[in-house]
């Protein structure tokens, strides 16, 4: 069965950095997408980033970034370890949220339909 586990959250000051990790397991095919979402209580869940994996190669990878994080966040994949990273630089207080990752045999253009979620990791950015 497919599982995803997030880690790497914490408390930082504005302008600092964090790197989140999403460990995936249970996939029988080597091409699938991993997406990061974040959510604050009372606000709509926001799609932050996505990477479409293509086996053990980077060729043809699809990347997505929300406008709010472009230029600050970088998504990458270690295919051998089945881990996707979200490097978050120049963090802002508005980045404070619970960050979730999800993975499935879906394209990165998809917003709805993700069903396999981890427990989330809290990111708190102080002013």
């Amino acid at each position: 069965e497919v599982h995803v586990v997030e880690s790497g959250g914490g408390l930082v000051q504005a302008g600092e950095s964090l790197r989140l990790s999403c460990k995936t397991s249970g996939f029988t095919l080597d091409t699938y997408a991993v997406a990061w979402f974040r959510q604050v209580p009372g606000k709509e869940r926001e799609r932050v980033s996505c990477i479409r994996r293509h086996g053990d190669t980077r060729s043809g990878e699809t990347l997505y970034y929300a406008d709010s994080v472009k230029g600050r966040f970088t998504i990458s994949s270690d295919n051998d370890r089945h881990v996707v990273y979200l490097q978050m630089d120049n963090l802002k207080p508005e980045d404070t949220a619970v960050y979730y990752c999800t993975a499935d045999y879906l394209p990165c253009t998809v917003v709805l339909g993700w069903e396999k979620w981890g427990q989330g990791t809290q990111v708190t950015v102080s002013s």
Side-chain angles (χ1 to χ4, degrees):
E1 185 173 312
V2 173
H3 294 281
V4 294
V5 179
E6 306 95 337
S7 62
L11 173 63
V12 298
Q13 294 181 265
E16 296 295 322
S17 299
L18 284 173
R19 188 177 74 166
L20 306 183
S21 298
C22 177
K23 173 67 176 178
T24 68
S25 62
F27 283 98
T28 58
L29 301 178
D30 59 5
T31 300
Y32 56 91
V34 175
W36 285 97
F37 290 75
R38 65 187 182 186
Q39 189 166 29
V40 177
K43 296 184 178 180
E44 182 180 354
R45 186 175 63 183
E46 178 185 17
R47 186 171 58 138
V48 177
S49 188
C50 181
I51 183 168
R52 174 78 171 184
R53 299 180 61 208
H54 296 271
D56 295 328
T57 72
R58 296 179 181 179
S59 179
E61 283 187 343
T62 300
L63 303 177
Y64 166 83
Y65 296 100
D67 288 341
S68 58
V69 306
K70 283 183 178 178
R72 299 188 298 117
F73 290 12
T74 303
I75 192 168
S76 62
S77 177
D78 184 334
N79 290 341
D80 290 339
R81 298 181 178 181
H82 299 98
V83 177
V84 169
Y85 302 101
L86 186 66
Q87 178 68 40
M88 306 185 296
D89 296 323
N90 192 24
L91 283 162
K92 303 176 180 180
E94 50 264 43
D95 295 318
T96 296
V98 177
Y99 284 70
Y100 300 91
C101 72
T102 182
D104 213 331
Y105 302 112
L106 297 171
C108 278
T109 53
V110 169
V111 178
L112 301 177
W114 304 93
E115 297 179 351
K116 304 173 179 65
W117 302 89
Q119 293 298 116
T121 185
Q122 176 71 48
V123 172
T124 302
V125 185
S126 63
S127 300

